[in-house]
Structure formats: C-alpha cells, structure tokens
Amino acid sequence: MQALLTLLTICLLSYLCSSQPSTGVFLSQAATQTGARCLDGTPGLYYHRAGTGTGANKWYIHHEGGGWCYNMDDCLGRSEGYLGSTKGDPATRVIQGGYFSTDPAINPQMYNWNSVYLRYCDGASFSGDNSTVTTFKDHQLYFRGFRILQAVFNDLNTNRGLNKATDVVISGCSAGGLATYLHLDWWRKNIQSSAKVVGLPDSGFFLDYESPIKQYHSNMVWVFTQQNSTSGVNDDCIRANVGKEYLCIFAQHVSPYIQTPIFPLQSEYDSWQTSEDLDSTSVQAINEWGRTMTDLVKTNLLKKSQNGIFLDSCHHHCGEWGNIVIDGKNQARAFEDFYNGVGQKVFMQDKVYPCTCLLYTSDAADDLLC
C-alpha cells in the first residue's frame, strides 16, 4: 500500500501517470474561408493537450507522417482513407509515449509542455497550395496541405496561447519529419520572435534518388508539381533553385538553407529508404547509402555550428525514442543536452551495416552496441 501511495504521489507531482486526452480542433471555418482542406475536402485537424506547470507556455508541435501520394489514382485512394480525410476522426485522442510522454524519465525536456499533433491528410508533407479543385473519376480532390498548416498556426496562435510561447520544438516523423525540414523556418518566422524555436525531425532526411522501379525522385517531383508546392516549402531554397524549384521538396537539398537550429533523429540505414528509395537489400549498397547519408548530413547540416544530430546505425524508421544509445545518451537525453546547450551536439554511431541493435534499458545503458 505504501508503495502504491508513493507512486500516486509521484504521478500527481510530475504528471507521470497522465493520460489526459488531446482535444481535436477541426478547422471548419478555415476550410470554408481559405480552402484549407484534406484531399477529400474535409477540414484540416489537429489535436492539442495543454501544458502544465513550467510547461504552460512551452510547445511541442508534431507533423504526422504517412508517406505521399504519387499519382492521381494514388491520391484518390488516399482520399478515401485515414491519410486523406478527417471524416472518421474522434473529438479527442489519447496521444502519449515517446516525444509525447508525460513521464520526465522518458521525455525529460518536454514532458509537461503543450503537445500538438497535426493530422496528415494532404499527401505532400503539408506543402500543397493548389487553388484548383481537381476532378478525377467523378471525385473532387484538394491539394492544399500548406493552407492547412497556416490554419493550424492561426488557430494555435489566436485561440490556444501559442502567441505567449517561450519555447517551441517543431517535429514530425517520416513524411512529418520531411515536413519539419520544409517548414521549420516558416514556423520560426511566424512564432513570436522572443520564443526559442528548434527543429526535431525524426527519420525525415530522405535522399534524392531514382531507382529503376521505385522511382522516388520522379514521384516526389510529381508531388511538388501537382500540389503546387512552390509557396509551401523553404523560401530561401526556392530562390536559390530557379528553374529547379522541385529540388526543395527533398530534405537533402533544402537543409543547407534552414536558418533555425535543428537536431534530427535519423538512421543512416533508414529501413524505409533502403526498401522504398534505394530499393535494395544488398549489404554493399546499403553501406554505400549510409556513407552518402553521413556525408550529406555533414555537408548540408553540420557546417552550421548551431545544428546537431543523432545519427544512428540501426536499421529502422521512426519510433525509437529512448531506445538507441550513442556515447552514453539515448535520443531523449541527447536532445535535452542539445536544447539546453550542454555537452556535445553531434551524436554519430558510425557502424557498418548490418548492425544489431538492442533495446536500451535503465539497467544497462550500454546494451545497445553495434
């Protein structure tokens, strides 16, 4: 009984046991007034859980991931499901664990912050700004993810207290990680200047590559063109690539232009990329992929001393918050150090593929060896 009372006390004091649901905000007015709509025409949506205590004016903003749609049939199919519509979304959701955890042992920097989960329903990492409603096979499709992003910001700033923010972390996983690269400076520009803003993209550094079958480069160029993403990506990148603006839909090309401090979480042997971008299981090819990834990170991100990275050698994609250790720190602790200017900024595992990764445990912090 005493142990239970102690646990309950800890929960009350430090929010360890919080399962407070996040409230859904359906952006119906923006859908009508600005055309900010998902692929199927339903309104954009985000979920918000209020910060508490010292985190009341601090914000973690997360772009949901889920790939992209690469042609009209693909976009039509997506519009009829979760990744293209908000018609089936509930009024509240419990979003917890990882970067959303309210346990300071798991999420030491942001456990009591406001958390925002941006629903992904546009198929282009929140970059589209196509005014034309496209009719395809008797269905109307909307390519307006950037308008949804703008509507989210406006509502957060006007109605939820983002205008009082002191600290903001912009994040996302996979296609949401790419969205972090594309929009980080836009968030920085729009959030009040006195706030500290940094980026934390997870598994979003997709290499610009064209395999014979998967054709990631061509597919993403189609996304950029069809969605009219020119005004929905990094402005400095667009100005520097006149005639080749499509390059700015790729993280490796946009990253040199990002001015806001950024701390990516990334595998050099990202499992989605080796399957869907590189399209190979060859050990030699995957190791070459990792070397290319590492070189691009060093050239395009780490030449700015304000940036850092957690670049591991495990074969995974997203979702390993706290499970991977480099130089004695897992992702959460490494990010905490980076955010507060303590210790090193660059964590690189730099191991040869295949690398067997074991889960991190508090009893064996160095279990994860490759």
Side-chain angles (χ1 to χ4, degrees):
M1 176 62 71
Q2 183 61 43
L4 177 59
L5 290 174
T6 300
L7 177 59
L8 289 173
T9 301
I10 292 173
C11 290
L12 289 171
L13 291 176
S14 60
Y15 317 101
L16 283 173
C17 295
S18 172
S19 58
Q20 176 187 352
S22 297
T23 301
V25 179
F26 291 83
L27 300 165
S28 301
Q29 187 174 12
T32 301
Q33 294 181 349
T34 70
R37 298 175 181 271
C38 301
L39 284 168
D40 72 335
T42 52
L45 164 66
Y46 69 88
Y47 288 91
H48 173 230
R49 184 181 69 209
T52 57
T54 59
N57 291 321
K58 300 178 180 181
W59 294 76
Y60 174 72
I61 299 175
H62 185 95
H63 304 83
E64 185 179 39
W68 308 270
C69 56
Y70 294 147
N71 55 59
M72 293 304 298
D73 281 309
D74 194 9
C75 292
L76 175 58
R78 178 177 282 241
S79 75
E80 296 172 339
Y82 175 82
L83 288 171
S85 176
T86 58
K87 63 185 177 184
D89 282 79
T92 62
R93 283 177 65 177
V94 175
I95 301 171
Q96 58 187 351
Y99 358 73
F100 292 96
S101 177
T102 53
D103 182 344
I106 296 172
N107 189 20
Q109 186 61 47
M110 304 176 292
Y111 70 94
N112 65 346
W113 290 22
N114 290 271
S115 65
V116 179
Y117 189 86
L118 278 65
R119 272 282 282 112
Y120 181 37
C121 62
D122 64 280
S125 293
F126 300 89
S127 70
D129 191 17
N130 191 331
S131 295
T132 301
V133 179
T134 302
T135 300
F136 180 72
K137 294 184 177 180
D138 297 324
H139 288 76
Q140 290 186 323
L141 296 175
Y142 298 79
F143 300 102
R144 298 177 180 174
F146 187 56
R147 297 189 191 187
I148 293 174
L149 192 68
Q150 292 170 313
V152 169
F153 170 78
N154 289 335
D155 194 79
L156 288 172
N157 210 49
T158 302
N159 299 320
R160 314 296 160 192
L162 184 60
N163 60 318
K164 300 176 183 177
T166 60
D167 299 74
V168 182
V169 172
I170 304 298
S171 186
C173 176
S174 192
L178 176 61
T180 306
Y181 288 100
L182 302 183
H183 306 306
L184 178 57
D185 282 353
W186 179 87
W187 280 103
R188 168 65 282 180
K189 178 182 176 181
N190 284 280
I191 291 168
Q192 65 169 351
S193 60
S194 61
K196 178 177 181 177
V197 179
V198 306
L200 182 67
D202 187 354
S203 304
F205 199 87
F206 295 91
L207 300 192
D208 179 4
Y209 183 76
E210 183 84 348
S211 67
I213 297 175
K214 297 298 178 69
Q215 298 181 324
Y216 180 72
H217 170 87
S218 295
N219 287 331
M220 292 303 289
V221 171
W222 186 91
V223 170
F224 181 89
T225 304
Q226 174 61 36
Q227 297 252 5
N228 191 31
S229 297
T230 302
S231 62
V233 296
N234 185 284
D235 289 339
D236 289 338
C237 181
I238 291 294
R239 284 191 288 268
N241 289 280
V242 175
K244 293 185 178 181
E245 290 88 351
Y246 61 83
L247 292 176
C248 300
I249 198 70
F250 297 97
Q252 75 175 72
H253 299 306
V254 76
S255 56
Y257 302 99
I258 297 173
Q259 301 301 315
T260 309
I262 191 168
F263 186 81
L265 311 177
Q266 183 66 50
S267 167
E268 60 182 320
Y269 310 119
D270 185 291
S271 58
W272 189 94
Q273 293 191 50
T274 58
S275 172
E276 303 300 322
D277 192 355
L278 175 63
D279 190 22
S280 177
T281 58
S282 163
V283 170
Q284 180 180 350
I286 292 174
N287 275 294
E288 182 62 31
W289 188 267
R291 287 190 290 271
T292 300
M293 173 83 72
T294 302
D295 289 344
L296 285 169
V297 162
K298 290 178 178 178
T299 301
N300 294 351
L301 279 174
L302 298 182
K303 283 190 175 180
K304 289 189 176 78
S305 61
Q306 66 183 4
N307 296 335
I309 195 167
F310 193 96
L311 185 67
D312 68 76
S313 302
C314 308
H315 194 231
H316 74 99
H317 182 70
C318 289
E320 295 298 336
W321 181 260
N323 287 338
I324 299 173
V325 176
I326 302 175
D327 297 338
K329 301 276 187 176
N330 65 15
Q331 296 99 316
R333 294 296 179 182
F335 176 66
E336 180 186 30
D337 284 357
F338 169 81
Y339 191 84
N340 294 296
V342 177
Q344 70 194 76
K345 294 181 178 180
V346 176
F347 296 79
M348 288 189 171
Q349 206 159 33
D350 197 26
K351 301 296 183 181
V352 175
Y353 176 86
C355 169
T356 301
C357 293
L358 305 178
L359 291 181
Y360 170 86
T361 67
S362 58
D363 295 327
D366 59 351
D367 268 359
L368 191 119
L369 301 173
C370 296

